[in-house]
């Protein structure tokens, strides 16, 4: 066996691991956006804060049931990470739902994506990352251009704030995955987020949260938008660099446009199709750059 062959075989498991992480991220993106489409259908029933509460509470219960995380043996630093992660989850989801309650989804995703995009550029040491980030930004802006006219100021501010918390979520998710086994840290952080959102949801929606149809749809939103994507992303971040993960999030608008078309009947124009192509190319380039480190 030559040295080159041995090196290739040694690197194969790492390459497969990165490819698996990429698949986990894409699966989480698709699940999240289709879950968001279902959430839009719930707004007339329970309002934005009510839907967030249903999503986080059901997600926390499911994760606690299946993970059964241990609460002993962790340091103050571990618990501080979980608490910060929970605050980021609650704030990110609440602000984003407030944004899409006031401005079009495309515009909200465009503004929110600025958070992970800035993180990608800040954490990467490769000049090529700037190219992929610029390409992704061009695609995202093109995708949301129609919704950027006459934006509601509060909605735009909520989307930008959600983007900042999205960047914090990426970093905190990676740290939580390193400090806690499996998805235990996620289950604990989701519990924190649920407890934070519960009072606001109850005050906003009241008894509407107990309607059987609303509960059923809320459970579906929780599974599709929280449990599955966050678990997949947490596992992916154990092997995928934060910079590559952040730019892969540029697929979010493309997945949202597809889910909106299939679930909500929102048609796609040529500009949107071109935008989807741009963000896909940027994501593939980002992953290849991360794999070439």
């Amino acid at each position: 066996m030559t040295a080159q062959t041995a090196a290739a075989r040694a690197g194969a498991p790492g390459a497969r691991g990165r490819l698996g992480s990429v698949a986990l991220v894409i699966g989480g993106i698709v699940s999240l956006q289709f879950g968001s489409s279902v959430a839009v259908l719930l707004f007339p029933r329970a309002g934005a804060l009510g839907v967030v509460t249903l999503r986080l509470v059901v997600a926390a219960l499911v994760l606690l049931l299946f993970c059964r995380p241990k609460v002993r043996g962790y340091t103050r630093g571990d618990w501080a990470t979980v608490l910060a992660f929970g605050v980021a989850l609650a704030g990110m989801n609440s602000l984003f739902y407030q944004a899409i309650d006031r401005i079009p989804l495309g515009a909200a995703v465009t503004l929110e994506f600025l958070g992970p995009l800035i993180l990608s550029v800040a954490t990467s040491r490769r000049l090529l990352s700037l190219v992929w980030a610029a390409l992704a930004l061009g695609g995202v802006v093109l995708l949301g251009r129609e919704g950027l006219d006459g934006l509601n100021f509060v909605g735009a501010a909520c989307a930008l704030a959600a983007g900042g918390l999205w960047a914090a979520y990426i970093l905190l998710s990676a740290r939580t995955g390193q400090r806690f086994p499996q998805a235990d840290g996620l289950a604990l952080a989701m519990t924190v987020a649920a407890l934070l959102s519960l009072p606001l949801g109850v005050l906003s929606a009241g008894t509407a949260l107990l309607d059987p149809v609303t509960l059923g749809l809320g459970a579906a939103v929780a599974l599709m938008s929280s449990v599955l994507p966050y678990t997949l992303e947490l596992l992916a971040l154990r092997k995928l660099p934060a910079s590559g993960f952040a730019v892969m999030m540029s697929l979010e608008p493309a997945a949202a446009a597809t889910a909106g078309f299939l679930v909500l009947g929102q048609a796609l124009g040529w500009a949107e199709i071109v935008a989807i192509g741009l963000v896909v190319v940027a994501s593939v380039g980002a992953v290849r750059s991360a794999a070439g480190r």
Side-chain angles (χ1 to χ4, degrees), residues 43-140:
F43 278 7
R45 288 179 169 271
L49 289 177
V51 174
V52 169
T53 296
L54 283 175
R55 171 179 168 178
L56 295 177
V57 169
V58 173
L61 292 175
V62 171
L63 287 171
L64 288 174
L65 178 63
F66 283 93
C67 297
R68 297 185 179 181
K70 296 180 180 179
V71 296
R72 295 183 179 180
Y74 296 112
T75 66
R76 290 184 178 180
D78 296 335
W79 285 113
T81 299
V82 162
L83 289 174
F85 191 17
V87 171
L89 281 169
M92 178 180 67
N93 287 291
S94 298
L95 287 168
F96 181 69
Y97 276 30
Q98 287 297 315
I100 62 177
D101 196 32
R102 291 173 170 83
I103 62 176
L105 180 60
V109 174
T110 298
L111 294 172
E112 188 190 29
F113 181 72
L114 293 178
L117 182 65
I118 293 172
L119 174 64
S120 170
V121 175
T123 59
S124 177
R125 298 178 180 178
R126 296 173 67 91
L127 183 61
L128 190 59
S129 295
L130 295 174
V131 177
W132 302 128
L135 188 62
L137 179 60
V140 171

Side-chain angles (χ1 to χ4, degrees), residues 63-252:
L63 287 171
L64 288 174
L65 178 63
F66 283 93
C67 297
R68 297 185 179 181
K70 296 180 180 179
V71 296
R72 295 183 179 180
Y74 296 112
T75 66
R76 290 184 178 180
D78 296 335
W79 285 113
T81 299
V82 162
L83 289 174
F85 191 17
V87 171
L89 281 169
M92 178 180 67
N93 287 291
S94 298
L95 287 168
F96 181 69
Y97 276 30
Q98 287 297 315
I100 62 177
D101 196 32
R102 291 173 170 83
I103 62 176
L105 180 60
V109 174
T110 298
L111 294 172
E112 188 190 29
F113 181 72
L114 293 178
L117 182 65
I118 293 172
L119 174 64
S120 170
V121 175
T123 59
S124 177
R125 298 178 180 178
R126 296 173 67 91
L127 183 61
L128 190 59
S129 295
L130 295 174
V131 177
W132 302 128
L135 188 62
L137 179 60
V140 171
V141 170
L142 180 61
L143 188 64
R145 81 192 196 293
E146 294 183 358
L148 293 175
D149 297 330
L151 276 185
N152 176 279
F153 177 78
V154 175
C158 287
L160 288 170
L165 288 174
W166 190 0
Y169 157 78
I170 292 172
L171 297 174
L172 290 168
S173 181
R175 293 179 184 177
T176 301
Q178 294 168 357
R179 289 174 177 266
F180 292 82
Q182 304 302 322
D184 286 11
L186 175 62
L188 294 170
M190 192 67 72
T191 302
V192 172
L195 291 175
L196 289 174
S197 67
L198 187 58
L200 295 176
V202 171
L203 288 174
S204 174
T207 57
L209 296 177
L210 301 178
D211 178 76
V213 175
T214 302
L215 282 174
L217 290 174
V221 170
L223 294 175
M224 297 173 67
S225 297
S226 293
V227 177
L228 185 57
Y230 292 157
T231 300
L232 294 179
E233 289 172 4
L234 185 146
L235 296 175
L237 280 165
R238 291 177 176 176
K239 294 185 178 180
L240 193 67
S243 58
F245 175 83
V247 177
M248 278 194 70
M249 291 296 97
S250 62
L251 284 171
E252 293 278 7

